[in-house]
C-alpha cells in the first residue's frame, strides 16, 4: 500500500451536511458556507425578535399598536414611526385641520404618539372622516402625509388622483361565519382581479365578484383564488403593483367589509383565498405613499440608488431595519387575521433576492449565480422570516413565490436550508408557449422533446405551479393564447352559426391540448388567469392617458361564454372537465409523470401520471389507427376525458364506449401495451 493510500485512509470521511438540501443536491456543496451564513442571519433576527418583541406573534401584530386603534373606552390612540421628523400633529376634519390642537409626543425610538379621549362617550374622530399626519423636518419645513398604517384611503378623481386617508371605525364590525377550508392537496389557482371582473366598461366591485364570479370559479373546479390588486394603489393601470397604502384594501371596489364577505363566502364554498402581496417595492408617491414619509429618503427604504428600482420607478425596502420588518410582517398578519386570507403569492421575488434585481441579468442555471455578492441577503432573510412566521402561526397557510431565476431550495423549509415557500411559479412554461405561437414554427414543427423537458424541468422536492398564461401574458403588447391561435377570426367565426374554419378548428383544439398537457405534466399546482379558461380574446389594457382612459380592454367578457351560440362555451366546458377530473384522480399531488413516448415524426406524447394514461396527438393532419402505447399498468382501460367530445367543440372521433385491453409485452420501456385510435390534434385520458 502506498503512502498516499495510507494517508487517504487515515482522513476521516466528511460528515454529512446539516442541511437536507445539500445532502440531496451535491451541486450545492460548494455553497454550504453561504447557506449557513444566511441561516445564521435568520436565527439572529429570530433571537432578537424573541428577546425584544416577545416573539413573532406579538411582533407581527404591529397594526394593533401603530396607526389608529380605538380603546374599549372609545379613546383613540394614534402612533406613527417617523424618526426623521422633528414634530408631528394629527389633523383632519374632526379638528378643522388645525396643525396645533393635537400635537404628538416623540419617544427615543422615533415613534410619535397621541391619545384622543372620547367626546360624550364616543370616539372624537367620526367614522369615515378624513385625517392626515402633519410633520416638520429639522429645518422647519412642513410636510403632510397619509398615515403609513392607515386602513382605509379613498380617491376622488374628479378632484385629484391623490388619495385621502380615512378614519375607518364602522359601528358594526363584520363577523365571519365560515371557517377556513383545509389546505388543498394541490392548488388549482384562479388568478383574478376584482376590478376587471365584469363585462361592463367600468370598475367591478367586491359585491359583484361575490355574487357573480365565485360560483363560476367553483363550477370550473378551481379550489384556490388568487386576488390581485387588493392592496391600495394610486394608479389603477399599475395592475396593483405600485402600492401606496399597504394596510388599506382598495376602496375602488367597495368597503373592506365587502372584501371580508367575499372571502367568507368563498370559504363557505370550500375555496382557499390567497392575496397577491407586493413587498418587493413600493410606489414612488410621497403625497399618498411611503416615499419620503418622514422627510428622509431612507425611512422605510434604502437611501440613494440602492433604494430605487430604476425600471419600475419605485422604492425598495430596507429589509435589514427592525421597524421595516415590523411593518411588513404585520402587513402579512393583518390580512391573514383581519380579512381571513389563507396565504400569499409574493410578487417580484427575483427582484428582492438579488442586488441587481434581475435587471440586465440572465440566469444560466449555474449555482454560482444564486450565492455570493449578487444576492441581497437581507431580502432573502426577510422571506425566510415571513414564511416561518406565516407557517408557525397558520400551519395550513400557503405561500407562493414569483421567481424567474430558479433559486435552489426556494421551496424547502428553513431547517432544510431553504427559504420556506410552499410553491414556486413555473415562469418558463408560459414563455415557451407564447414563443412557440408568436415566433416558432407551425405546430407541425413543434419540438415535443423540448416542450416535455420545459414542462418537467423542476427542482427535486420543490413544488411548482404550472400555467400556460397568467395576467403577464395578457397585458397590452401581448395577447392571450386564444388570440395568438385564432386572432382576427375570433371576431367573425366564434359563432356556431358560422362555418368552422380551419383557423378556429385548430385554435380550439390546440387551446385544449396546451392547457391539458401543462396541467398534467407541468407541476404540483395549476394556475389560470380569469377569462382565459374560455379563450378570452384580445389583451388587457387599463384606462390611462394613452388610451383616453378607456375600459374597453380592462374587463372580462363573461357574456361570451354565457352565450350558447358562441364557441367559447366549448373551451369553458373543457376547463371545468379538466379540473374536475383532477379532483377525482389527483394527478397534481402524484409523483412526476413517466413519459414513455415523445415521437417527433408522429407528433405523439404518451405518459402516465395520477393512475391515468395520457395520449396526445399534436399532428395537424395525421390520425392513427391501432396506435400502440406502453403502460406499466395491465388491465382494461377506458376513456375518462377526450378533447374531441362534441361538448368541447370536437368532432367525436374518439368512441368513449370502447374499452382497451393491455398485452403483457414490453413497449417503450413499459411492461404492457395497448392499441387505440388517436385522431389528429386530440388528447385522450384513460383510466384502468
Amino acid at each position: 500500500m502506498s503512502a498516499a493510500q495510507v494517508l487517504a485512509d487515515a482522513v476521516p470521511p466528511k460528515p454529512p451536511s446539516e442541511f437536507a438540501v445539500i445532502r440531496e443536491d451535491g451541486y450545492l456543496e460548494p455553497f454550504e458556507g453561504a447557506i449557513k451564513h444566511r441561516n445564521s442571519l435568520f436565527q439572529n433576527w429570530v433571537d432578537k425578535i424573541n428577546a425584544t418583541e416577545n416573539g413573532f406573534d406579538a411582533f407581527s401584530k404591529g397594526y394593533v399598536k401603530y396607526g389608529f386603534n380605538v380603546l374599549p373606552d372609545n379613546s383613540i390612540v394614534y402612533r406613527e414611526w417617523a424618526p426623521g421628523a422633528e414634530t408631528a400633529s394629527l389633523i383632519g376634519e374632526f379638528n378643522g385641520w388645525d396643525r396645533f390642537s393635537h400635537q404628538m409626543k416623540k419617544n427615543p425610538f422615533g415613534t410619535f404618539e397621541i391619545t384622543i379621549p372620547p367626546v360624550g362617550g364616543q370616539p372624537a374622530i367620526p367614522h369615515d372622516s378624513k385625517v392626515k399626519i402633519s410633520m416638520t423636518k429639522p429645518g422647519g419645513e412642513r410636510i403632510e402625509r397619509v398615515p403609513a398604517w392607515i386602513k382605509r384611503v379613498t380617491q376622488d378623481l374628479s378632484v385629484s388622483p391623490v388619495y385621502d386617508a380615512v378614519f375607518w371605525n364602522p359601528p358594526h364590525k363584520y363577523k365571519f361565519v365560515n371557517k377556513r377550508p383545509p389546505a388543498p392537496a394541490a392548488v388549482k389557482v384562479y388568478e383574478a382581479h376584482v376590478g376587471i371582473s365584469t363585462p361592463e366598461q367600468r370598475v367591478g366591485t367586491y359585491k359583484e365578484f361575490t355574487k357573480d364570479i365565485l360560483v363560476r370559479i367553483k363550477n370550473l373546479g378551481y379550489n384556490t383564488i388568487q386576488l390581485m390588486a387588493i392592496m391600495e394603489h394610486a394608479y389603477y393601470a399599475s395592475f396593483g403593483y405600485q402600492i401606496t397604502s399597504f394596510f388599506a384594501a382598495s376602496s375602488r371596489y367597495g368597503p373592506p367589509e365587502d372584501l371580508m364577505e367575499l372571502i367568507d363566502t368563498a370559504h363557505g364554498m370550500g375555496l382557499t383565498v390567497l392575496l397577491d402581496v407586493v413587498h418587493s417595492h413600493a410606489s414612488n408617491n410621497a403625497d399618498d405613499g411611503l416615499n419620503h414619509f418622514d422627510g428622509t429618503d431612507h425611512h422605510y427604504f434604502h437611501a440613494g440608488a440602492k433604494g430605487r428600482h430604476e425600471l419600475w420607478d419605485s422604492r425598495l425596502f430596507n429589509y435589514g431595519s427592525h421597524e421595516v420588518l415590523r411593518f411588513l410582517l404585520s402587513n402579512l398578519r393583518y390580512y391573514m387575521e383581519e380579512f381571513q386570507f389563507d396565504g400569499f403569492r409574493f410578487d417580484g421575488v427575483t427582484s428582492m433576492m438579488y442586488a441587481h434585481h434581475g435587471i440586465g441579468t440572465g440566469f444560466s442555471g449555474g449555482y454560482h449565480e444564486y450565492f455570493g455578492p449578487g444576492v441581497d441577503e437581507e431580502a432573502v432573510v426577510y422571506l425566510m422570516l415571513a414564511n416561518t412566521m406565516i407557517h408557525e402561526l397558520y400551519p395550513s397557510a400557503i405561500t407562493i413565490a414569483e421567481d424567474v431565476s430558479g433559486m435552489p431550495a426556494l421551496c424547502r423549509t428553513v431547517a432544510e436550508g431553504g427559504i420556506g415557500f410552499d410553491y414556486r411559479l413555473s415562469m418558463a412554461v408560459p414563455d415557451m408557449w407564447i414563443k412557440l405561437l408568436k415566433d416558432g414554427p407551425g405546430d407541425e414543427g413543434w419540438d415535443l422533446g423540448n416542450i416535455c423537458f420545459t414542462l418537467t424541468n423542476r427542482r427535486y422536492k420543490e413544488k411548482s405551479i404550472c400555467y400556460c398564461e397568467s395576467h403577464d401574458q395578457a397585458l397590452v403588447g401581448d395577447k392571450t393564447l386564444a388570440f395568438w391561435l385564432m386572432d382576427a377570426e375570433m371576431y367573425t367565426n366564434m359563432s356556431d352559426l358560422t362555418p368552422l374554419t380551419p383557423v378556429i378548428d385548430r385554435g380550439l383544439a390546440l387551446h385544449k391540448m396546451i392547457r391539458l398537457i401543462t396541467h398534467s405534466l407541468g407541476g404540483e399546482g395549476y394556475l389560470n388567469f380569469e377569462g382565459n379558461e374560455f379563450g378570452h380574446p384580445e389583451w388587457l389594457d387599463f384606462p390611462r392617458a394613452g388610451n383616453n382612459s378607456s375600459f374597453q380592454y380592462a374587463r372580462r367578457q363573461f357574456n361570451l361564454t354565457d352565450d350558447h351560440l358562441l364557441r367559447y362555451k366549448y373551451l369553458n366546458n373543457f376547463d371545468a372537465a379538466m379540473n374536475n377530473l383532477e379532483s377525482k384522480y389527483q394527478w397534481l399531488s402524484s409523483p412526476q409523470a413517466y413519459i414513455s413516448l415523445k415521437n417527433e415524426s408522429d407528433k405523439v406524447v404518451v405518459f402516465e401520471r395520477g393512475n391515468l394514461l395520457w395520449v396526445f396527438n399534436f399532428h395537424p393532419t395525421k390520425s392513427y389507427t391501432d396506435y400502440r402505447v406502453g403502460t406499466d399498468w395491465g388491465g382494461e382501460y377506458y376513456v375518462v376525458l377526450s378533447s374531441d367530445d362534441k361538448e368541447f367543440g370536437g368532432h367525436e372521433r374518439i368512441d368513449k364506449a370502447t374499452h382497451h385491453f393491455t398485452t403483457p409485452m414490453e413497449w417503450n420501456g413499459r411492461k404492457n401495451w395497448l392499441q387505440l385510435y388517436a385522431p389528429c390534434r386530440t388528447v385522450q385520458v384513460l383510466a384502468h
Side-chain angles (χ1 to χ4, degrees):
M1 185 179 290
S2 68
Q5 286 176 313
V6 172
L7 184 62
D9 291 341
V11 176
K14 185 180 179 181
S17 171
E18 64 182 284
F19 300 115
V21 296
I22 295 175
R23 296 196 300 270
E24 293 164 1
D25 185 351
Y27 288 107
L28 282 171
E29 230 176 89
F31 307 101
E32 183 166 11
I35 293 174
K36 273 187 175 179
H37 181 63
R38 77 184 185 195
N39 270 48
S40 69
L41 294 176
F42 163 81
Q43 193 57 50
N44 289 344
W45 269 116
V46 172
D47 294 342
K48 184 179 180 182
I49 289 168
N50 286 336
T52 63
E53 302 284 354
N54 204 24
F56 277 130
D57 187 22
F59 187 53
S60 62
K61 284 186 175 176
Y63 57 89
V64 302
K65 178 180 178 182
Y66 289 84
F68 291 89
N69 287 284
V70 181
L71 302 182
D73 69 349
N74 278 333
S75 296
I76 299 170
V77 178
Y78 171 51
R79 293 188 184 92
E80 198 74 71
W81 177 61
E86 189 80 14
T87 69
S89 58
L90 177 61
I91 61 175
E93 292 176 325
F94 78 101
N95 66 2
W97 304 99
D98 188 331
R99 293 168 173 162
F100 304 100
S101 62
H102 290 78
Q103 299 196 38
M104 304 172 72
K105 292 182 179 178
K106 186 178 184 182
N107 72 15
F109 300 102
T111 297
F112 288 91
E113 179 179 335
I114 186 172
T115 300
I116 307 169
V119 175
Q122 296 301 311
I125 306 176
H127 166 61
D128 203 18
S129 63
K130 294 175 183 177
V131 290
K132 265 190 174 181
I133 181 171
S134 181
M135 296 171 281
T136 58
K137 295 164 67 173
E141 180 188 349
R142 184 169 293 278
I143 53 175
E144 291 175 349
R145 299 286 188 257
V146 168
W149 296 72
I150 197 73
K151 294 166 187 170
R152 173 81 167 164
V153 292
T154 58
Q155 183 186 50
D156 185 351
L157 286 172
S158 66
V159 177
S160 167
V162 177
Y163 269 91
D164 292 313
V166 169
F167 175 69
W168 195 253
N169 183 36
H172 303 291
K173 311 296 183 189
Y174 184 84
K175 293 183 179 178
F176 287 87
V177 175
N178 300 298
K179 291 183 178 179
R180 286 188 171 100
V187 294
K188 294 188 290 258
V189 182
Y190 194 84
E191 184 184 39
H193 182 293
V194 171
I196 68 171
S197 297
T198 172
E200 298 176 27
Q201 296 191 37
R202 58 176 176 80
V203 177
T205 68
Y206 296 125
K207 284 281 190 186
E208 290 169 331
F209 193 96
T210 303
K211 174 176 167 287
D212 301 328
I213 308 302
L214 289 182
V215 67
R216 290 183 185 272
I217 297 170
K218 180 69 175 177
N219 290 340
L220 284 165
Y222 292 93
N223 56 28
T224 304
I225 306 169
Q226 177 187 305
L227 288 178
M228 307 172 62
I230 294 297
M231 301 162 73
E232 194 58 274
H233 47 291
Y235 186 40
Y236 190 46
S238 75
F239 219 143
Y241 291 120
Q242 295 272 345
I243 307 300
T244 44
S245 292
F246 283 75
F247 287 83
S250 182
S251 59
R252 285 183 178 87
Y253 324 127
E257 290 73 24
D258 287 359
L259 174 58
M260 295 174 187
E261 180 187 35
L262 186 163
I263 296 167
D264 195 14
T265 306
H267 285 167
M269 299 168 73
L271 296 170
T272 293
V273 187
L274 307 180
L275 175 68
D276 193 352
V277 71
V278 186
H279 282 180
S280 48
H281 64 131
S283 169
N284 204 30
N285 290 17
D287 288 340
D288 52 6
L290 294 179
N291 192 19
H292 294 285
F293 183 85
D294 67 350
T296 69
D297 77 334
H298 56 270
H299 182 205
Y300 284 96
F301 312 110
H302 287 293
K306 188 178 180 182
R308 299 186 179 277
H309 196 294
E310 61 185 61
L311 287 186
W312 296 345
D313 188 29
S314 55
R315 297 305 312 269
L316 300 172
F317 286 105
N318 177 4
Y319 302 106
S321 161
H322 189 101
E323 291 304 323
V324 172
L325 287 183
R326 185 200 308 278
F327 183 83
L328 295 175
L329 293 176
S330 296
N331 192 228
L332 298 172
R333 184 76 185 276
Y334 173 72
Y335 284 105
M336 292 290 291
E337 200 69 34
E338 298 299 309
F339 289 90
Q340 297 288 294
F341 276 99
D342 301 298
F344 303 95
R345 178 261 201 192
F346 281 75
D347 180 70
V349 168
T350 306
S351 175
M352 295 174 72
M353 293 193 299
Y354 302 97
H356 51 68
H357 311 299
I359 300 172
T361 303
F363 292 92
S364 66
Y367 278 36
H368 64 283
E369 296 168 341
Y370 304 122
F371 303 95
V375 175
D376 186 334
E377 282 193 318
E378 290 178 344
V380 171
V381 169
Y382 163 66
L383 293 171
M384 294 163 71
L385 291 167
N387 278 300
T388 301
M389 179 207 79
I390 291 166
H391 290 115
E392 280 187 6
L393 297 176
Y394 307 94
S396 64
I398 296 166
T399 59
I400 301 169
E402 187 214 26
D403 170 46
V404 74
S405 75
M407 169 69 80
L410 184 66
C411 300
R412 300 293 294 272
T413 66
V414 171
E416 291 175 313
I419 297 175
F421 285 98
D422 295 302
Y423 294 91
R424 70 195 313 150
L425 293 175
S426 295
M427 300 183 72
V429 172
D431 290 346
M432 173 195 71
W433 288 124
I434 291 293
K435 188 175 181 181
L436 277 175
L437 296 176
K438 186 178 180 180
D439 304 317
D443 46 301
E444 67 279 356
W446 285 0
D447 182 344
L448 297 183
N450 182 65
I451 289 172
C452 291
F453 173 78
T454 304
L455 288 170
T456 55
N457 181 26
R458 46 193 189 268
R459 295 200 179 277
Y460 179 60
K461 288 189 177 180
E462 296 194 49
K463 293 192 287 188
S464 296
I465 294 175
C466 210
Y467 56 105
C468 317
E469 52 184 337
S470 69
H471 67 274
D472 287 326
Q473 284 70 40
L475 288 171
V476 65
D478 214 326
K479 297 186 285 194
T480 62
L481 279 184
F483 214 54
W484 278 117
L485 286 164
M486 296 175 276
D487 208 57
E489 287 204 19
M490 294 190 80
Y491 296 119
T492 57
N493 288 85
M494 282 300 277
S495 169
D496 276 330
L497 302 179
T498 60
L500 181 64
T501 66
V503 169
I504 297 297
D505 192 30
R506 171 184 180 268
L508 295 177
L510 289 179
H511 193 274
K512 292 176 287 185
M513 296 182 73
I514 287 170
R515 295 174 79 77
L516 188 54
I517 198 169
T518 302
H519 201 308
S520 55
L521 206 53
E524 292 72 35
Y526 179 74
L527 179 143
N528 166 68
F529 178 64
E530 67 172 319
N532 291 345
E533 68 275 7
F534 62 82
H536 202 287
E538 301 171 329
W539 52 85
L540 274 171
D541 188 12
F542 282 78
R544 54 190 173 86
N547 64 14
N548 295 318
S549 300
S550 171
F551 282 85
Q552 173 67 26
Y553 301 110
R555 58 193 178 119
R556 295 283 90 180
Q557 299 179 59
F558 292 107
N559 54 297
L560 296 176
T561 191
D562 293 339
D563 188 336
H564 296 295
L565 289 176
L566 298 181
R567 293 184 168 118
Y568 296 98
K569 66 179 180 289
Y570 299 134
L571 300 179
N572 195 73
N573 292 343
F574 185 76
D575 202 71
M578 177 175 71
N579 282 320
N580 288 316
L581 190 70
E582 196 287 328
S583 297
K584 181 177 180 180
Y585 290 96
Q586 300 189 338
W587 62 74
L588 288 171
S589 49
S590 299
Q592 184 153 300
Y594 182 89
I595 305 174
S596 60
L597 182 65
K598 293 170 284 190
N599 190 309
E600 297 293 352
S601 59
D602 291 349
K603 293 298 172 195
V604 173
V605 176
V606 179
F607 58 86
E608 297 144 280
R609 191 182 186 194
N611 219 24
L612 296 169
L613 178 63
W614 309 73
V615 183
F616 289 80
N617 179 6
F618 280 97
H619 203 287
T621 57
K622 288 185 181 178
S623 299
Y624 305 107
T625 305
D626 296 332
Y627 198 85
R628 186 173 292 189
V629 299
T631 174
D632 250 14
W633 308 309
E636 180 180 350
Y637 281 75
Y638 55 95
V639 175
V640 292
L641 181 64
S642 163
S643 65
D644 207 38
D645 281 359
K646 188 175 181 179
E647 65 176 311
F648 308 139
H651 301 284
E652 294 193 300
R653 291 167 291 173
I654 296 172
D655 185 357
K656 293 172 77 174
T658 301
H659 285 220
H660 308 272
F661 298 87
T662 59
T663 297
M665 184 184 296
E666 186 175 339
W667 188 258
N668 291 335
R670 311 313 278 160
K671 297 174 184 175
N672 311 278
W673 56 259
L674 59 82
Q675 294 183 152
L676 45 71
Y677 178 50
C680 61
R681 285 187 180 141
T682 64
V683 52
Q684 53 191 300
V685 186
L686 299 97
H688 62 99

